[in-house]
Amino acid sequence: MASLNLKNITKIYKGNVKAVSDFNMDIEDGEFIVFVGPSGCGKSTTLRMIAGLEDISDGELYIDGKYMNDVEPKDRDLAMVFQNYALYPYLTVYENIAFGLRMRKIKVYDKDQNGNQILIVNQKQIKEIKAEIKKLEKSKKKANEDELAEINAKISELKTKINDLENNPSAPKYHTRKFTNAEIDEKVQAVATMLGIKEYLKRKPGALSGGQRQRVALGRAIVRDARVYLFDEPLSNLDAKLRAAMRVEITNLHHKLNTTFIYVTHDQVEAMTMGTRIVVMKDGIVQQIDTPTNLYDHPINKFVAGFIGTPPMNFFNVNIKKNKSSYDVYFNEKQNVNIGKLTLNETYKEQSEFKAILGVRSEDIHLASDHEESFEARVKIVETLGSECLVYMKLTNEEETLLSSNEFVMKVQGRCSYVNGDVIRIAFNNEHIHLFDNDTEYSVLIEK
């Protein structure tokens, strides 16, 4: 397993195009991290910088505390699964999985005639310290007088450490060898059994389905016993049913391997069902990092609220007016509803009236009882999904009171008999409403 630290990671392409801006995150051993966001948000670019397939324009990447910006991809001990599988069409499934093992060498530690490990000067650690010194020397350009003194002291300390290492052998001496055929066969057979593709080992990729090819791609990564596994939208070429099945398989695989997974997707359902933590990105900027439940229940802004959840959250342009300890929401002059007591942040709590964006999830809209604050809506479309219905509606006035299409959706468990044109009275679950600033689109609420 491995931990990762991304500090102010930035990627700038030619023409000053900023693909990723100031990405900060600490990833712990064994986590399943999902980067999610629309196309072009920078999630795959971030993954490729971790893998070493893209240079880091600015910032620092550490794996297990070691500075990795200048380390070659092959030396990072990472395994990657690509969107297009990247299988060799002329090789069998067996050889596709075995390919990396045949190219790889393993360490064999040398011992003296008494069986004790032979130690040599730790050149690798010296190289890493020299890279850190180089980075500190670079930082001098932007340092003030006090910072410069601190940097020089640190450089002097590191040079002393290099001198100690050069005079005290501490690294185990080793040589490398290739895997034997027996070792390769044992690993390939074990991975093929784990993924349920043992019967396909003699076939070539062209004779396999999309799901089977994806398992082969997974197998080729798993067989490496890497510290971190990277997945770049691996399920996007599969149909909906197979994607759902593969989501479960990859999640189970994470539990079996008990190592760090970093997974990129544009599909928020994949993110919500697989990740222990999710990174929501937009335009190269991290919007929110949190657990699936917290992202769903406490989105930091309107973008996160609308991106996470199916169907997407409903949004209304509203006026908020304080009514003693509670608040009234005005959709227009005719329709308003009391949304109870709220705790607003400092900017808003003293205001008696302000404009906002009201967010309500489909499951938090329901048919109103006689004693609830409610308002009228007209049914437009009903989607019957078996276990639930999605009822698309508009308010019963002609003004454009909603964002976008002026429609919103209510989720009804079980069957429903609504038809186009029905006028019904609906209410909100006030415990789960959201309010966002009309200009910044960030949350107005501190707590519900």
Side-chain angles (χ1 to χ4, degrees):
M1 295 191 293
S3 61
L4 293 90
N5 308 100
L6 291 84
K7 297 183 178 181
N8 308 112
I9 296 292
T10 298
K11 179 64 182 179
I12 303 174
Y13 287 110
K14 196 172 181 180
N16 202 32
V17 177
K18 189 172 283 189
V20 178
S21 180
D22 205 29
F23 190 112
N24 287 280
M25 187 178 188
D26 293 330
I27 299 173
E28 297 178 6
D29 284 347
E31 281 200 275
F32 195 134
I33 300 296
V34 180
F35 297 165
V36 68
S39 296
C41 72
K43 54 189 185 294
S44 288
T45 302
T46 304
L47 192 80
R48 291 174 65 83
M49 284 191 285
I50 293 172
L53 302 177
E54 292 276 2
D55 291 333
I56 296 172
S57 303
D58 198 10
E60 302 165 11
L61 171 66
Y62 295 88
I63 298 178
D64 279 343
K66 295 180 180 178
Y67 182 70
M68 303 298 288
N69 288 42
D70 303 322
V71 176
E72 290 294 319
K74 64 182 178 62
D75 297 323
R76 297 190 183 196
D77 198 11
L78 311 176
M80 192 162 183
V81 180
F82 296 92
Q83 178 180 352
N84 62 357
Y85 317 135
L87 301 176
Y88 298 108
Y90 52 87
L91 296 180
T92 63
V93 168
Y94 185 102
E95 288 302 326
N96 263 284
I97 296 174
F99 185 83
L101 294 176
R102 295 199 190 283
M103 303 298 292
R104 186 178 169 194
K105 292 182 178 180
I106 56 175
K107 295 178 181 178
V108 179
Y109 292 96
D110 297 334
K111 295 182 180 180
D112 60 23
Q113 58 185 4
N114 297 319
N116 298 315
Q117 203 166 61
I118 300 173
L119 298 178
I120 58 173
V121 172
N122 195 333
Q123 295 293 347
K124 184 179 179 181
Q125 193 173 353
I126 291 173
K127 184 180 178 182
E128 289 170 354
I129 295 172
K130 285 182 176 179
E132 193 172 347
I133 291 174
K134 185 179 178 182
K135 185 177 62 174
L136 288 168
E137 293 283 1
K138 187 179 177 183
S139 69
K140 282 184 179 182
K141 296 177 183 178
K142 299 179 181 179
N144 59 37
E145 192 173 329
D146 291 338
E147 290 170 337
L148 195 60
E150 188 177 333
I151 291 170
N152 284 329
K154 181 66 176 176
I155 290 173
S156 177
E157 181 185 326
L158 291 174
K159 286 181 176 179
T160 300
K161 193 171 182 180
I162 288 175
N163 187 61
D164 289 341
L165 286 169
E166 287 175 338
N167 290 290
N168 294 285
S170 59
K173 186 182 179 183
Y174 65 88
H175 64 277
T176 60
R177 68 168 177 83
K178 290 187 174 183
F179 284 101
T180 66
N181 287 335
E183 288 170 333
I184 291 172
D185 185 67
E186 182 181 358
K187 286 178 174 290
V188 172
Q189 295 291 344
V191 167
T193 300
M194 179 191 296
L195 295 173
I197 54 174
K198 199 167 182 179
E199 60 186 288
Y200 308 124
L201 288 176
K202 294 182 180 179
R203 296 187 189 180
K204 292 185 177 179
L208 303 178
S209 68
Q212 290 163 348
R213 284 197 292 271
Q214 189 55 272
R215 287 188 181 92
V216 177
L218 287 171
R220 189 175 55 187
I222 294 165
V223 80
R224 288 190 53 194
D225 294 326
R227 292 187 296 169
V228 182
Y229 292 90
L230 309 177
F231 300 82
D232 191 5
E233 303 212 41
L235 308 184
S236 59
N237 292 331
L238 306 179
D239 61 51
K241 185 176 181 181
L242 193 50
R243 278 204 308 271
M246 288 300 295
R247 284 202 306 266
V248 174
E249 288 196 22
I250 292 174
T251 302
N252 286 337
L253 190 60
H254 176 250
H255 293 317
K256 287 179 182 177
L257 297 178
N258 192 31
T259 192
T260 307
F261 277 26
I262 305 176
Y263 188 103
V264 163
T265 181
H266 64 275
D267 186 336
Q268 57 93 19
V269 174
E270 283 184 25
M272 292 290 285
T273 55
M274 300 173 78
T276 54
R277 282 196 297 160
I278 300 171
V279 182
V280 182
M281 299 183 70
K282 178 190 178 188
D283 299 331
I285 298 171
V286 173
Q287 303 294 303
Q288 188 170 353
I289 301 174
D290 220 323
T291 63
T293 300
N294 282 341
L295 279 178
Y296 192 84
D297 291 340
H298 306 291
I300 197 171
N301 59 28
K302 179 176 176 281
F303 174 79
V304 175
F307 193 83
I308 298 295
T310 304
M313 185 181 286
N314 301 296
F315 295 114
F316 303 81
N317 275 332
V318 295
N319 284 326
I320 306 293
K321 294 183 181 180
K322 194 168 184 178
N323 180 8
K324 295 182 180 179
S325 63
S326 61
Y327 294 83
D328 288 330
V329 172
Y330 287 84
F331 300 103
N332 50 60
E333 294 179 358
K334 297 178 181 178
Q335 301 221 46
N336 73 288
V337 59
N338 187 294
I339 55 174
K341 189 174 182 179
L342 303 174
T343 303
L344 308 180
N345 65 38
E346 292 293 328
T347 307
Y348 304 92
K349 70 178 184 179
E350 298 301 327
Q351 296 186 32
S352 59
E353 182 177 355
F354 60 92
K355 290 185 177 181
I357 301 167
L358 177 70
V360 187
R361 296 206 181 274
S362 56
E363 65 268 26
D364 293 317
I365 303 175
H366 57 269
L367 193 64
S369 66
D370 293 338
H371 306 293
E372 284 186 289
E373 291 277 349
S374 61
F375 54 95
E376 285 189 343
R378 180 174 283 107
V379 175
K380 303 295 293 183
I381 298 171
V382 178
E383 291 183 347
T384 303
L385 304 176
S387 62
E388 62 187 23
C389 293
L390 299 180
V391 183
Y392 292 85
M393 299 176 282
K394 286 188 177 183
L395 298 179
T396 55
N397 63 82
E398 296 182 354
E399 294 184 37
E400 290 294 318
T401 57
L402 305 183
L403 297 180
S404 316
S405 64
N406 195 32
E407 285 188 352
F408 61 100
V409 59
M410 173 178 69
K411 186 182 290 185
V412 178
Q413 294 301 315
R415 277 68 171 171
C416 61
S417 57
Y418 301 123
V419 295
N420 186 7
D422 282 352
V423 175
I424 58 177
R425 293 204 69 84
I426 59 175
F428 296 153
N429 180 350
N430 291 343
E431 295 297 314
H432 295 127
I433 63 103
H434 302 265
L435 281 179
F436 303 99
D437 185 278
N438 205 44
D439 297 319
T440 68
E441 297 190 348
Y442 274 79
S443 179
V444 170
L445 303 178
I446 295 177
E447 57 185 273
K448 306 279 191 308

